[in-house]
Amino acid sequence: MLATGAATAVRAAPAIAPPDAAWLQAVLERFAGFGIKASGGAGDTASGVWLESDLTALGFRCERQAFQVPYAEVREATLAVDDRVAPVFPQALVKTTGVNGLTLPLKLAGAGGVLDGAIALVVLPFGRWISMAQPPVDLALADAFDRGAAAAVVVTTGPTGETIGLNVSATKPGFRRPVVILAPKDAEPFLAAAKVGATVTLTVDAEVGKRSAFNLIGRLDRGAAQTLIVTTPRSGWFTCAAERGAGVAVWLSLAHALTAAKPGVNLEFVATSGHEYIYLGGEQYLEHHAPKPADTRLWVHIGASAAARDWHELATLRPLPSADSQRVLTATPDLLEPTRAAFKGLNGLEAVYEANKANAGGELVNVIEAGYRSAIGLYGGHRFFHTAGDDMRCVSGDLVQPVAKAFRAAIDGALRT
């Protein structure tokens, strides 16, 4: 069924250069329609099958690079005090409480003191949170558990009031006790409870383990000495319509355009899973499959929030027709000028920084450190980043179109250098 649907989508959306906004809109809607993109889950797998069908129709030889990822199928995840019950997001790597939950005093972690026999409430400062590895998160949790906390509830204070899922390493030991995320909009009664050490019940009932996920790797061999690699992640905690969908739409438009253009390089297009486990899929591809640096003409990485909608912060968030400027573009020194020329006038992207460990983000950091000499990469974090609210309100074909055109121009410029 998935393959048939994908083939229909391919026939309905012929290659267009420059990319057409309506075509991009259809790609975005298709991607969002697969639902939650947690690595190895139904939405992630279905999106990979769809993209595989599209690349195959363009003539790419496709393969799936399989690897194992953690997962949690949640049956119940709640925090309750008196008659107030709020949903919580079990933070990976998920540790359960059992069906009966933990009924213990709730205490503010920031107040100091012993936390033995208590659940710690960690309230983060305002930010667009990304990862458990960020020091304000990691250090606060380590400190709470060092002081004896039996579990931790993290309030991800951010621009929407929603729960923000945090990326986490799948290869490093996680915290041995339950950690959950509580939406700021739901936090008030629990803040009041924590101030007086009131008893709450935290329940995390889930099936946890590991399952298979895959990177989609499509190669179009032109018999050239070098290869153009174009990568984008497709997985994430929620639906990821703007976070991942915008990059997928740019990536797919480039596959269509470059197949037709026939540049003098081989093409390798990669859509990775495992992104929310701190670039696990990208690391797997880089380590086991990617062409060597000497055999690579250019590596283009299209990361998060490539073309997410901006919002006015008034009494309520109100959508704007423009893109969120919290997106960052980097390029290696040899490509700074052509990349700046290609992205001129695109807010947040016109200031192109040198791609190095300090400036590059996402999977491109590993690419640079692995010795790839010519690279362009984008990353960002829009208002609904890592939240369940990242749906089709947050992105459109009109927002993606100028970014897709700019990437095409930047690639053309890079291949001429």
Side-chain angles (χ1 to χ4, degrees):
M1 184 180 297
L2 289 170
T4 300
T8 301
V10 170
R11 288 195 296 270
I16 300 171
D20 177 80
W23 185 90
L24 292 165
Q25 181 72 21
V27 172
L28 292 167
E29 291 175 357
R30 179 74 170 170
F31 179 78
F34 291 121
I36 292 175
K37 305 303 187 309
S39 294
D44 174 42
T45 299
S47 63
V49 170
W50 161 57
L51 295 172
E52 180 180 48
S53 178
D54 206 341
L55 290 190
T56 299
L58 290 172
F60 284 77
R61 175 180 57 82
C62 290
E63 63 179 287
R64 301 180 186 184
Q65 180 188 18
F67 54 96
Q68 294 293 299
V69 293
Y71 81 95
E73 293 293 344
V74 178
R75 291 181 284 261
E76 182 182 356
T78 57
L79 183 65
V81 60
D82 298 327
D83 60 347
R84 302 292 294 271
V85 180
V88 292
F89 179 71
Q91 176 59 51
L93 304 171
V94 173
K95 302 296 186 295
T96 62
T97 63
V99 295
N100 295 322
L102 295 174
T103 300
L104 296 168
L106 183 68
K107 295 184 178 181
L108 284 169
V114 175
L115 293 172
D116 288 343
I119 296 170
L121 184 65
V122 176
V123 182
L124 296 178
F126 185 92
R128 297 187 183 191
W129 297 100
I130 301 170
S131 168
M132 289 278 281
Q134 291 175 271
V137 184
D138 183 53
L139 295 178
L141 286 170
D143 174 67
F145 288 130
D146 285 345
R147 289 188 280 138
V153 177
V154 180
V155 180
T156 47
T157 311
T160 66
E162 302 290 338
T163 296
I164 301 175
L166 302 175
N167 290 354
V168 65
S169 173
T171 59
K172 297 178 181 178
F175 293 108
R176 296 189 299 273
R177 281 157 274 183
V179 177
V180 300
I181 307 298
L182 176 66
K185 67 179 183 180
D186 297 329
E188 184 177 349
F190 301 100
L191 288 168
K195 288 176 182 177
V196 297
T199 297
V200 302
T201 298
L202 172 65
T203 304
V204 179
D205 178 26
E207 175 189 303
V208 299
K210 289 196 173 183
R211 64 189 176 192
S212 183
F214 69 88
N215 293 331
L216 169 63
I217 304 169
R219 184 170 179 84
L220 193 57
D221 199 328
R222 294 275 172 74
Q226 291 187 307
T227 295
L228 164 62
I229 303 171
V230 184
T231 54
T232 197
R234 68 173 197 274
S235 70
W237 295 122
F238 301 104
T239 299
C240 306
E243 177 194 349
R244 300 270 73 95
V248 166
V250 171
W251 179 90
L252 193 57
S253 75
L254 291 173
H256 280 257
L258 292 169
T259 299
K262 299 181 179 179
V265 288
N266 306 312
L267 302 178
E268 187 146 309
F269 274 70
V270 185
T272 60
S273 185
H275 173 85
E276 65 271 37
Y277 295 106
I278 306 192
Y279 325 137
L280 180 61
E283 290 178 345
Q284 290 291 311
Y285 171 70
L286 183 60
E287 181 177 355
H288 300 293
H289 197 290
K292 301 299 182 186
D295 300 324
T296 301
R297 179 67 181 83
L298 170 66
W299 191 313
V300 175
H301 181 71
I302 310 161
S305 308
R309 187 177 305 284
D310 204 356
W311 302 73
H312 265 148
E313 296 179 4
L314 300 173
T316 60
L317 286 174
R318 300 184 186 180
L320 291 167
S322 53
D324 194 316
S325 63
Q326 296 305 305
R327 48 185 181 170
V328 179
L329 191 63
T330 65
T332 47
D334 57 318
L335 300 179
L336 281 171
E337 292 311 313
T339 304
R340 285 173 179 151
F343 283 87
K344 184 178 180 179
L346 294 184
N347 61 320
L349 300 177
E350 67 271 70
V352 183
Y353 303 102
E354 181 179 337
N356 53 37
K357 190 173 181 179
N359 296 328
E363 288 85 344
L364 194 69
V365 174
N366 294 331
V367 171
I368 298 300
E369 291 187 336
Y372 290 83
R373 294 184 295 275
S374 295
I376 301 169
L378 179 151
Y379 64 96
H382 67 107
R383 271 179 179 78
F384 286 87
F385 187 63
H386 285 200
T387 74
D390 185 4
D391 53 29
M392 284 301 298
R393 298 171 303 160
C394 299
V395 70
S396 72
D398 287 328
L399 291 172
V400 173
Q401 185 180 32
V403 179
K405 291 174 66 175
F407 265 109
R408 174 66 194 280
I411 289 170
D412 287 348
L415 295 180
R416 287 195 298 267
T417 60

